[in-house]
Amino acid sequence: MTEKHGAPVIVWFRKDLRTDDHAALAAAAETGFPVIALYIREPDGAGTGPLGAAQAWWLHHSLASLGKTLRALGTPLILRSGAAADVLDTLIEETGAGSVHWNRRHDPAGIAIDTDIKAALKARGITARSFAGQLLHDPARLQTGEKKPYRVYTPFWKALEREGEPHEPIDAPESLRSFSGVLHSERLDDWALLPARPDWATAFKDIWTPGQAAARERLDDFVDGAIEGYRTNRDRPAIDATSMLSPHLAMGEISPARIWHATRGLKMPTEDVIHFRKELAWREFCYHLHFHFPQLSDRNWNDRFDAFPWEASGRNFALWTRGRTGYPIVDAGMRQLWQHGWMHNRVRMITASFLIKHLMIDWRRGEKWFRDTLVDADAASNAANWQWVAGSGADASPFFRIFNPILQGEKFDPEGTYVRTFVPELEKLDAKWIHKPFDAPESALSKAGVELGRTYPKPMVDHGKARERALAAYKSLKDG
Ligand code: FAD
């Protein structure tokens, strides 16, 4: 399919807010025709669903950053709101654009919208070209020997390896020819993506810099440093041992192929690199599951869990969201999430398990909370991981494997450094008691200035009893 000679090319940016390794933009630049860069604020529910509040903060800064980068290349970023088909129609009318380019999205709702738009554009003689690049490999291409989707991660990983190396990343264009007319763009500030009163995101900027330049910097730092030892250190939340690239990936500020290729030829134990690549492959697996099971965020993958006797408690849910469960590792995780819009993977597993198994609250409520509070919220990865913890997902951790929050804390945060960072009221407590202040003698508590039930909550449930209750509920499901 070719572009109409000389007519402007619209490049529709979505969750791919970068110029580097952006196949749709590169192809538009190559034509030498004017390029119109467009971002559409689609109505809630279109594409991957409503934007969470933390990710809205990210989107604001990411769009500002992309706008600056594009301007430096020669063209502004046009912001418009509305149904994508209508916005594109209007812009084509205004500019005489002959083609529209975009990078493919892989969520079922997004695919449906794009398919309709492609057909409508084609019908009116406009070229629509979609490109790969958001994933290492096309999730639809990977199939088992029986031509079925993968349900288990390890064979999926092997299939991914058989696909060979992902594409070589494409460098950003050096310049773009701009459209000669004046185009209206909505003002980013008018989209009110940032929290105002109160501004709960004040600590975000201490940790995060949205935008592709910062993503690239993070990648470079990671491959120069923490990737060595990744395999062993990645489970320790107090250590900066992981890449923290997830929010950049979620907004497409960096491509997985760019990350993959940056880990080639590193002089370090190969198991660290392989382990890291396997995590990137988990992301692919989540997309694969979501592609083949569009209801991943709403329905149990394994429908046996449909009969699970979930508790409706609003109070317990609220205590969990606020990090007031009385289990320090859980509370630290939930407070890290609130303060930084991000939580370490090990602690995501512990906090999710606590909600589902200790409190017996439906995983979908946790999934929604994470979606609203994570800067890296991703429809596929979030839902697949929640279902993995719940035991209802594909290749999931069995339900009966119930994390003990005390032992998990002692194993992965032995000095309590992570807990002390996010639960300052326990800062002075001896490491011996940091994960179980409720077992500490009165002398240790008072020395540390801790008064259970006043300065720090008593445990909201007893671990042993909660575990038995959850196992009984699971048994009723199996017997039922
Ligand atoms: P690294 O360890 O540096 O890994 C590199 C990249 O691999 C990550 O950026 C991510 O893209 C991918 N990755 C790593 N682990 C996983 C995983 N288990 N599943 C899928 N991809 C993975 N990740 C999200 O990106 N968005 C989410 O909404 C999300 N929700 C989660 C909810 C729960 C309950 C759990 C247990 C995990 C969730 N994860 C989610 C996966 C994982 O926790 C994060 O991707 C990871 O913590 C991001 O940190 P990082 O970039 O430093 O990871």
Side-chain angles (χ1 to χ4, degrees), residues 230 242-246 249 276 279-280 282-283 286 342-345 348-349 352 370 374 376-378 381-382 385-386 389:
Y230 177 80
T242 67
S243 70
M244 293 183 82
L245 282 165
S246 52
L249 270 167
F276 178 68
E279 294 308 324
L280 285 177
W282 264 106
R283 175 174 178 269
C286 296
W342 187 86
M343 194 198 299
H344 186 276
N345 180 60
R348 290 188 203 203
M349 293 195 281
F370 270 32
L374 277 171
D376 66 22
D378 177 280
S381 296
N382 197 31
N385 275 286
W386 271 94
V389 177

Side-chain angles (χ1 to χ4, degrees), residues 19 25-26 29-30 69-75 171-177:
T19 55
L25 180 68
E30 236 170 65
T69 306
L70 286 167
R71 249 195 324 277
L73 291 177
T75 199
D171 285 338
E174 283 175 7
S175 66
L176 296 167
R177 209 175 125 197

